[in-house]
Amino acid sequence: MFLGGLAIFLFGIKYLGDGLQRVAGDKLRDLLDKFTSNPLMGVLSGITVTILLQTSTGTTVLTIGLVNAGFMTMRQAIGVIMGANVGTTVTAFIIGLNIEDYALPIMTIGTLLLFFIKNKKANNFGQVFFGFGALFYGLELMGEGVSPLRELDAFTELTVSMSENPLLGVLIGTIFTVAVQSSTAAIGLLQQLYSSGAIESLDAVLPVLFGDNLGTTITAVLAALGSSLAAKRAAASHVIFNLLGTVLVLLVLQPFTALVSFLSERLALNPEMTIAFAHGIFNTSNVLIQLPFVGLLALIVTKILPGDETVIDYKAQHLDPVLIHQSSSIALGQAKKEVLRMAELSEKGLIEAGKFVQTKHKRHAELTYQFEDAINNLDRKITDYLSQISSNSLTAQDSNFHSMLINTVRDIERVGDHLENLIELSEYQVANKVQLSELAMQDLEEMFELTTQTLQQAVLALETGDVEEARSVVLKEDQIDKLERQLRKKHILRLNKGNCNGSAGIIFVDMISNLERIGDHSVNIAEAVIGEE
């Protein structure tokens, strides 16, 4: 019953978080991007996003992605991670409301909204309701499943040992949280054990609570293994922050226990809400104590994990909105600078994609996805900026230049899509253990090299406005098309000789097809330069 309840509880948390995220739309990333200008704002953003995601780990992973992308500094990320620790306490307060009796009716409302109303927004709210109800239903089953523990002498002796030795309680809380990969589930179980009387004293309960809080950092550590340096640093800051908080509270454990006991009696709190208050006070106090030392924490993490990290700057650097109304020509010049940045990101992305296809090192795939994400972001920003410029009256020359930039942005964005396709094909190859022959890999390398040269030359022509350079890019189109046909024929010969199987052949053909399309978009950029002249 306990394991089944735990399963339903974890499903409810996940389903509720996904539903809240859909209701909120794709604004969570923007929220973290815009409102983390200082550590305090980072804390508030971390609280908000964690409440919506219903997982502090999800917020930490999202933050790691933003640090990788250059959207956020390490100092800002630490603020968000601190906020995530406070935000995750909200679930404990929700559990403290003790509305298990209404769990099934709440799930019924969710089911009605999910299956009987043909409206996406209603379906999203249905998911929230169903997840919320499942959370409480799973919690009730967990409570019933563990209630017999209070009759066991061994468990009673264990709780006495935890009262006498707080470090044992911390260890047990950490191990259980690592086992279920959810501090929310661990704290929910602790609330049920305390409520049912299986653990009777706060002296035994609170150290386990601190261990639950410490155990949640392991998930971030596991997520960061094999990831970038920025990911490892964010995970390390999470561990250090929670570890310091646990050490500090253990030093003042008796006064802290007395404070929680006093609040429980004065406010007539039920056992679940008592744990929620303890959790909230602990995490909030930890943030208030450590917030002034964010810079020091960032320095410590950098010293522990030294090295230079590849940071991709997603943000537009040249699009000044003031210039739109002052001078369309200057604004277009600024837009061109940003288009060039976008084009350079596509070049770097193509190089990383080629490295991943050849080496299968995960870092190259991660960087390619980040470059593609950055390209998409700049595509939106530049297109919006150019749309605002078009509302002005433009000269014939500026109008042609404007059209050229619009077309070029579209071509570069499509290059980014093909980069993503190449990585996905290579990941499929790894996941399904598909082997490409040595000759096929050599052919791919040749195609990558020619396509990369073509794209780089097109970007150079765009930057300098050199028509001769652009014309030489156009001539390369025949070379790329000819090479693609040759490689297809060689592939068929390998297939006929049995040197290559069907799955490998599909991956190979799709890869060279994507590279040929990147060549076409490079030529489009070059032709736009010629047309502009």
Side-chain angles (χ1 to χ4, degrees):
M1 186 178 284
F2 163 70
L3 291 174
L6 177 63
I8 293 170
F9 180 86
L10 289 171
F11 173 78
I13 284 285
K14 176 76 167 62
Y15 208 57
L16 172 63
D18 289 347
L20 286 168
Q21 195 170 356
R22 286 178 180 167
V23 168
D26 298 323
K27 303 296 182 187
L28 298 182
R29 188 186 182 111
D30 290 340
L31 178 71
L32 288 178
D33 175 29
K34 291 176 183 174
F35 300 104
T36 54
S37 53
N38 59 62
L40 180 59
M41 290 302 294
V43 169
L44 296 175
S45 300
I47 292 170
T48 306
V49 172
T50 304
I51 290 170
L52 291 173
L53 288 177
Q54 283 296 297
T55 164
S56 58
T57 304
T59 305
T60 305
V61 170
L62 191 59
T63 304
I64 287 168
L66 290 168
V67 173
N68 264 342
F71 263 125
M72 194 181 288
T73 65
M74 196 65 213
R75 285 174 61 116
Q76 291 170 323
I78 291 170
V80 174
I81 289 167
M82 288 179 173
N85 274 307
V86 176
T88 195
T89 64
V90 171
T91 311
F93 280 100
I94 293 171
I95 292 169
L97 295 174
N98 228 343
I99 53 174
E100 287 96 333
D101 293 346
Y102 304 101
L104 293 175
I106 291 169
M107 289 169 72
T108 304
I109 294 169
T111 303
L112 291 171
L113 291 170
L114 275 167
F115 292 101
F116 297 99
I117 297 179
K118 302 297 182 186
N119 179 284
K120 193 172 182 180
K121 195 170 183 181
N123 295 159
N124 292 340
F125 276 105
Q127 186 169 340
V128 171
F129 275 98
F130 190 89
F132 191 65
L135 183 156
F136 280 101
Y137 184 59
L139 199 63
E140 185 178 10
L141 292 177
M142 283 167 64
E144 289 179 28
V146 297
S147 59
L149 285 175
R150 64 172 177 261
E151 309 298 333
L152 288 177
D153 292 337
F155 190 78
T156 305
E157 288 172 13
L158 179 63
T159 57
V160 171
S161 299
M162 287 190 296
S163 301
E164 295 171 352
N165 185 359
L167 289 177
L168 177 62
V170 172
L171 181 63
I172 289 169
T174 303
I175 291 170
F176 186 74
T177 304
V178 171
V180 299
Q181 289 289 290
S182 169
S183 63
T184 305
I187 291 165
L189 171 63
L190 189 63
Q191 287 173 298
Q192 291 301 308
L193 288 168
Y194 188 50
S195 175
S196 66
I199 302 179
E200 294 181 357
S201 71
L202 273 175
D203 291 328
V205 167
L206 293 182
V208 179
L209 175 67
F210 307 144
D212 291 339
N213 220 53
L214 192 56
T216 192
T217 64
I218 304 300
T219 311
V221 171
L222 293 174
L225 289 177
S227 295
S228 67
L229 183 60
K232 291 185 176 74
R233 283 175 174 170
S237 67
H238 194 194
V239 173
I240 292 169
F241 171 73
N242 281 29
L243 186 60
L244 284 173
T246 303
V247 171
L248 288 171
V249 78
L250 286 176
L251 292 174
V252 292
L253 183 58
Q254 288 187 338
F256 184 82
T257 306
L259 172 64
V260 174
S261 182
F262 170 75
L263 289 174
S264 179
E265 291 173 13
R266 181 57 62 92
L267 301 175
L269 302 176
N270 63 34
E272 292 95 333
M273 195 60 84
T274 301
I275 300 296
F277 264 79
H279 193 207
I281 293 167
F282 165 55
N283 275 328
T284 306
S285 302
N286 194 19
V287 168
L288 293 174
I289 291 167
Q290 295 195 50
L291 188 59
F293 304 103
V294 165
L296 180 60
L297 182 54
L299 181 64
I300 292 169
V301 169
T302 308
K303 293 291 183 185
I304 294 172
L305 296 169
D308 296 322
E309 180 59 36
T310 304
V311 176
I312 301 163
D313 195 348
Y314 281 42
K315 294 186 178 179
Q317 295 177 356
H318 305 100
L319 306 181
D320 187 348
V322 175
L323 293 173
I324 294 172
H325 306 292
Q326 290 183 348
S327 171
S328 297
S329 296
I330 295 175
L332 286 168
Q334 294 301 104
K336 181 185 176 181
K337 287 180 182 178
E338 208 59 60
V339 172
L340 283 169
R341 276 195 64 236
M342 186 179 173
E344 286 165 8
L345 290 173
S346 70
E347 281 181 53
K348 291 175 181 176
L350 180 55
I351 291 167
E352 291 297 331
K355 287 178 180 177
F356 181 65
V357 169
Q358 291 294 329
T359 67
K360 302 297 184 289
H361 290 164
K362 188 180 175 184
R363 181 60 183 149
H364 297 306
E366 288 175 353
L367 281 171
T368 308
Y369 280 128
Q370 287 170 27
F371 280 121
E372 202 273 334
D373 209 2
I375 289 166
N376 286 342
N377 184 63
L378 288 178
D379 170 39
R380 290 190 295 270
K381 298 285 193 246
I382 296 168
T383 302
D384 181 56
Y385 192 75
L386 290 171
S387 297
Q388 291 180 56
I389 294 173
S390 66
S391 63
N392 299 339
S393 58
L394 303 175
T395 63
Q397 186 178 358
D398 281 349
S399 183
N400 289 335
F401 188 36
H402 181 276
S403 298
M404 186 273 280
L405 290 176
I406 286 280
N407 293 332
T408 302
V409 166
R410 186 178 63 243
D411 279 304
I412 298 169
E413 191 276 330
R414 292 295 296 131
V415 168
D417 291 343
H418 289 297
L419 296 180
E420 188 175 14
N421 293 345
L422 287 165
I423 296 298
E424 286 173 353
L425 286 165
S426 200
E427 286 178 334
Y428 176 86
Q429 180 194 345
V430 172
N432 293 277
K433 297 182 173 61
V434 178
Q435 292 292 327
L436 289 177
S437 68
E438 193 174 329
L439 288 172
M441 293 304 292
Q442 288 173 3
D443 288 345
L444 274 175
E445 190 173 3
E446 185 182 357
M447 188 73 175
F448 261 104
E449 193 174 331
L450 179 59
T451 307
T452 304
Q453 287 175 2
T454 307
L455 179 59
Q456 287 174 335
Q457 200 170 356
V459 174
L460 181 62
L462 177 65
E463 184 177 4
T464 60
D466 189 331
V467 176
E468 291 307 314
E469 191 79 44
R471 286 192 176 123
S472 69
V473 174
V474 174
L475 293 175
K476 271 197 167 70
E477 183 173 24
D478 288 338
Q479 286 179 254
I480 292 174
D481 291 346
K482 186 179 178 182
L483 181 60
E484 189 203 14
R485 287 193 296 270
Q486 286 176 352
L487 296 185
R488 282 178 184 271
K489 286 177 184 176
K490 288 169 76 175
H491 156 66
I492 292 167
L493 289 173
R494 283 195 297 270
L495 206 59
N496 291 337
K497 289 178 181 178
N499 297 332
C500 179
N501 61 37
S503 297
I506 291 168
I507 290 170
F508 177 82
V509 169
D510 280 354
M511 279 188 178
I512 61 171
S513 176
N514 274 283
L515 288 167
E516 189 272 333
R517 293 296 297 136
I518 290 173
D520 287 346
H521 290 296
S522 303
V523 170
N524 290 347
I525 294 168
E527 286 178 340
V529 173
I530 296 167
E532 161 63 12
E533 286 301 313

